[in-house]
Amino acid sequence: MIYLLALVGLVTVTVLFWKAFGPVSHASGQPRVTGPDDDPEFLWRLNRQARKSGDTPEPGPVDPPQ
């Protein structure tokens, strides 16, 4: 029984040391890449270009409900 507890303790210590000092995972080491549809600056430029070319009308007042 004592050998089983020692084995569990050794595995636990090994895993903790691996997490603390092991290789860095790719998820935390690299910045998150956002697509153009998530980029507010891209959407702002796209909206500005559409308004200049006349593709979309200017936002106007909303009709009140009847």
Side-chain angles (χ1 to χ4, degrees):
M1 182 69 178
I2 192 76
Y3 293 115
L4 183 61
L5 290 175
L7 181 64
V8 169
L10 181 64
V11 169
T12 303
V13 168
T14 304
V15 168
L16 290 175
F17 271 105
W18 180 264
K19 293 282 187 180
F21 303 110
V24 178
S25 68
H26 295 291
S28 65
Q30 296 178 352
R32 181 176 171 251
V33 178
T34 59
D37 57 340
D38 292 336
D39 185 12
E41 184 179 334
F42 173 78
L43 295 174
W44 177 78
R45 279 187 276 128
L46 192 64
N47 191 17
R48 187 177 63 173
Q49 288 173 355
R51 285 185 183 176
K52 281 184 180 179
S53 67
D55 290 344
T56 58
E58 291 290 326
V62 179
D63 292 333
Q66 296 179 5

